Amino acid sequence: MILTRCAACAVPLEHTAPRCGICKTRYCGRDCQKLHWKGGHKAICQEIKHDGGAEQYHANKKYAEIVKTATDACAEDTKGQTCYICTEAVHWKTKEGLVRMCACRGTAGFAHVSCLAEQAKILVAEAEENNLGKKAEDERFARWYSCSQCKQEYYGVTRCALGWACWKTYLGRSKGDWSQCLAMDQLANGLYAADRYEDALSVREVELSAMRRLGAPEESMLAVQGNLAATYGEVGRSEEAANSFRDVYFGTLKLYGEEEAETLRATNNYANSLFDLQRFKEGKILLRKPIAVARRVFGETDRNTLKIRSLYAQALYRDQDATLDDLREAVVTLENLDRTARRVLGGAHPTTVNIERALQMARAMLAARETPPTTSRT
């Protein structure tokens, strides 16, 4: 369950908390349930039941809200375009507008969230019904969060909208069904991508608990723990984030070795958490070897390579003991990364935006150090 708080008083609940016998809305006790009933729940209880219960009703409502937010945010970019799936500008059924969701050029980069969701749902269902195997199911499930053409993951509110779409599609599965956990993960990823960190944190905590109950494999647990650690950082729990990222980093290094993308991502995350605590020297030591590995194994244009090199540059200019040479190296590195990221990912991609922001800061710090202090004449 993603509804983790009492509907009346908002107190956090266990997954075994009592529920309304009609619509399954959750409460901390009978008193809150009675108060909520008299306060207006009575009028919509049957509607919630008809919609599939409290969790489904909540997911449908949140999905509709975020789709409108996503289409409004993309309105300027999508003006005069049509959906590459249904070829219409306005969705025939939902009447929703378009979103710009990836790095595809031309008409391929525009779609309705409903069309993307329906396409992903159909492809996953076909894989399940025809017993195509886990690999095929995983590849098709990726359509919930990434483009089949340019392979770029969706981001921002579009990712959030698809997260809610995915969750409302699979939340009715049994608690032992892995698709429900995968959908929960996509919802948390989407909330995080849209900067809704408190909401993402509550979903992450439920997800980790569910994965433990199901006895998930180590690689899955490490992924969930890493995502939870990232969310700790975004809500200001920096020490918890760094400790969790450290554990995930060493666990991932042991499980995969140093030449896997998962290990590079774990390295990036751990370094970022050290930076949040102003521990830049530790971060530089941590990053030196993985940078060489990333450039050799994945190439200069890989997103993980771009991110890890950008982090090292940030460690150079953010360290209070940075030398003038450190600042110059940081600026040159970030200028090269900025050009590559814009060419490969596009100017709106979060990785490109972060590199540009770091470059501006590095340039400002270098300029301040290179400009001689003015002296007044008497």
Side-chain angles (χ1 to χ4, degrees), residues 32-104:
C32 273
Q33 185 173 357
K34 290 178 181 178
L35 181 66
H36 200 234
W37 182 264
K38 294 177 181 178
H41 181 69
K42 179 180 179 180
I44 61 171
C45 186
Q46 287 295 336
E47 179 184 347
I48 294 174
K49 178 183 178 182
H50 182 266
D51 222 23
E55 194 68 56
Q56 191 71 59
Y57 179 86
H58 174 72
N60 292 344
K61 183 179 179 181
K62 289 294 183 181
Y63 169 72
E65 291 172 358
I66 196 64
V67 166
K68 185 178 186 310
T69 301
T71 55
D72 288 348
C74 296
E76 190 62 33
D77 287 342
T78 59
K79 191 178 296 184
Q81 302 295 332
T82 58
C83 174
Y84 85 91
I85 298 172
C86 74
T87 72
E88 297 292 334
V90 178
H91 193 276
W92 68 275
K93 183 177 182 181
T94 66
K95 308 306 178 186
E96 72 194 72
L98 299 166
V99 294
R100 180 79 168 88
M101 68 287 179
C102 61
C104 284

Side-chain angles (χ1 to χ4, degrees), residues 103 105 152 155 338 340-354 356:
R105 299 295 185 258
Q152 185 184 99
Y155 53 88
D338 184 55
T340 302
R342 287 182 179 281
R343 175 170 54 84
V344 176
L345 302 175
H349 192 277
T351 299
T352 309
V353 172
N354 289 336
E356 172 63 24

Side-chain angles (χ1 to χ4, degrees), residues 109-125:
F110 304 95
H112 300 114
V113 174
S114 295
C115 288
L116 293 170
E118 187 64 19
Q119 189 177 71
K121 178 181 175 181
I122 290 171
L123 288 170
V124 172

Side-chain angles (χ1 to χ4, degrees), residues 169-185:
T169 298
Y170 299 110
L171 68 87
R173 299 284 185 96
S174 65
K175 287 183 169 55
D177 192 313
W178 283 104
S179 59
Q180 188 187 73
C181 285
L182 291 173
M184 198 182 303
D185 188 57

Side-chain angles (χ1 to χ4, degrees), residues 230-243:
T231 317
Y232 281 146
E234 293 295 348
V235 298
R237 294 160 66 171
S238 300
E239 287 287 353
E240 289 174 88
N243 291 336

